[in-house]
Amino acid sequence: MKLMRTQDAVGHVLCHDMTQIIPGQYKDARFRKGHVVREEDIPVLLSMGKENLYVWELIPGMVHENDAAHRLCALCENEHMVRGQVKEGKLELTAAIDGLFRVDAGRLNRINLLEDIMIATRHGNTAVHRGDKLCGTRVIPLVIGEEKLRRAEEIAGDRPLLELLPWKLKTAAIIATGSEVAKGLIQDAFTPAVERKLASFGIETTRRSTPGDDLDTISQEIQEARAAGVDLILCTGGMSVDPDDRTPGAIKASGAAVVTYGAPVLPGAMFLLGYFEDGTPVLGLPGCVMYARSTIFDLVLPRIAAGIPVTREEIAAMGEGGLCLGCEVCTYPNCGFGK
């Protein structure tokens, strides 16, 4: 900090807020910390009784916090993102579309290890809506050394830290297994529940079937759905170790390569994920998806809907945070489940 006469402060950065009081009319910060003093500000400051100011001197090799926030934001910004206005040294990106938000956590963490620099994001691999906040950037001091920003830029490289991918899949087939459903002994409550979740991602259910519990019949339904060209195939129920539960075997028999049968997530441990050679995903959904508010299906569906292949390693990593606490009032996705 440096103390100087107000008249000499043009081009320098204020070190704290300057409050203006007009009795009965106004009391607020007229100039915020970090403001760069302009010639036209001098009469206003003098009228506020500010004969002297504490300022940061902008010397060669130093960058103002507002300019630094823009440079950090540029490391994050990607397609379908909107840059806001700098306020008190902070700058935010928001979503321009609905889609899947992804973060390169490795590079982000390396940048945040640098002194005096911060980039805060929402959780990656989550669904966002147009207008949602994605990240905020700023530096800690009012001014920062150019070399620190260059180091952050070197770590980021030539790829943005963030991605926002639009929903890609458009159509789905739901194969509701179970002899009780096929025979009409009970109403199929599974299909409507899954359809509602798919619709929130813009996916239309174009095929529905109830093949019962026969392995060959279920497998044939899967193959027919694939031949019809749907983007996503979902088999509901029949996922346990009960001898009448044939869905996992039918998915394997259909020719799909199974990524995982089982997931470290509750509810949803008996989940199955597979892919056909052309990339079409096929999911085996356990019974909890029919009645539980949030399950493994909710954690995986955003990535599936964006056309991003999900690996066995990614499923395994869901163990931390994969326990739904069953709160009396569910706030998912604004909670720790799956994060």
Side-chain angles (χ1 to χ4, degrees):
M1 287 196 307
K2 179 178 182 180
L3 179 67
M4 66 170 46
R5 293 174 64 248
T6 297
Q7 293 92 330
D8 299 330
V10 174
H12 294 283
V13 181
L14 294 179
C15 290
H16 57 87
D17 291 351
M18 296 289 179
T19 300
Q20 184 179 39
I21 302 175
I22 302 177
Q25 298 181 39
Y26 183 85
K27 181 182 178 181
D28 199 358
R30 180 64 184 269
F31 302 101
R32 295 285 183 187
K33 178 188 74 171
H35 176 74
V36 179
V37 180
R38 302 165 300 177
E39 190 68 44
E40 57 267 33
D41 298 333
I42 302 303
V44 180
L45 288 163
L46 293 174
S47 73
M48 295 164 56
K50 306 298 180 182
E51 299 286 342
N52 299 283
L53 302 173
Y54 278 115
V55 298
W56 283 99
E57 276 193 291
L58 285 178
I59 58 177
M62 303 300 289
V63 181
H64 182 258
E65 63 175 352
N66 289 354
D67 297 325
H70 276 289
R71 286 176 61 171
L72 293 177
C73 189
L75 306 184
C76 303
E77 192 172 8
N78 210 330
E79 289 185 285
H80 314 302
M81 299 178 187
V82 178
R83 189 183 300 200
Q85 299 293 321
V86 176
K87 184 177 181 181
E88 298 178 353
K90 298 187 289 290
L91 186 57
E92 293 179 345
L93 287 174
T94 57
I97 61 169
D98 295 355
L100 176 71
F101 178 63
R102 289 161 60 86
V103 180
D104 188 322
R107 288 186 294 148
L108 175 66
N109 292 343
R110 289 174 61 199
I111 289 173
N112 279 328
L113 280 171
L114 299 174
E115 187 179 9
D116 294 335
I117 283 175
M118 63 131 292
I119 300 173
T121 78
R122 67 192 300 136
H123 282 286
N125 283 322
T126 55
V128 299
H129 300 285
R130 181 179 179 180
D132 284 351
K133 291 181 182 180
L134 302 179
C135 82
T137 65
R138 73 166 304 164
V139 293
I140 306 306
L142 290 173
V143 293
I144 188 171
E146 170 73 28
E147 72 281 359
K148 292 182 179 179
L149 290 175
R150 287 182 179 171
R151 178 61 183 141
E153 291 163 347
E154 289 172 2
I155 293 172
D158 58 0
R159 294 181 295 110
L161 300 175
L162 310 181
E163 280 187 299
L164 180 51
L165 305 174
W167 306 132
K168 183 178 179 181
L169 275 58
K170 302 299 181 185
T171 59
I174 300 179
I175 301 169
T177 67
S179 60
E180 70 280 16
V181 175
K183 294 176 181 178
L185 299 177
I186 66 168
Q187 184 177 1
D188 175 19
F190 219 139
T191 296
V194 174
E195 284 182 335
R196 286 192 294 271
K197 290 184 182 290
L198 294 176
S200 67
F201 291 88
I203 300 174
E204 180 185 1
T205 303
T206 57
R207 290 179 61 90
R208 302 167 186 83
S209 60
T210 55
D213 289 320
D214 181 70
L215 187 150
D216 291 336
T217 305
I218 298 170
S219 179
Q220 182 178 347
E221 288 288 348
I222 295 171
Q223 291 169 343
E224 290 179 1
R226 184 187 178 197
V230 296
D231 298 324
L232 172 63
I233 302 170
L234 305 109
C235 299
T236 64
M239 293 299 300
S240 77
V241 294
D242 189 287
D244 290 329
D245 287 347
R246 310 287 178 78
T247 303
I251 292 174
K252 293 178 183 178
S254 71
V258 175
V259 173
T260 183
Y261 174 31
V265 175
L266 292 172
M270 306 305 288
F271 170 77
L272 186 150
L273 170 66
Y275 290 93
F276 288 102
E277 290 182 357
D278 62 0
T280 302
V282 54
L283 279 58
L285 303 181
C288 60
V289 175
M290 177 171 52
Y291 58 83
R293 168 70 187 271
S294 304
T295 70
I296 178 67
F297 187 40
D298 299 278
L299 305 185
V300 171
L301 184 55
R303 300 181 220 190
I304 298 291
I308 300 298
V310 180
T311 67
R312 184 178 178 84
E313 289 74 18
E314 289 173 321
I315 296 292
M318 291 181 179
E320 181 180 3
L323 177 64
C324 176
L325 300 181
C327 303
E328 186 174 344
V329 178
C330 180
T331 60
Y332 182 83
N334 299 319
C335 71
F337 181 53
K339 302 179 177 67

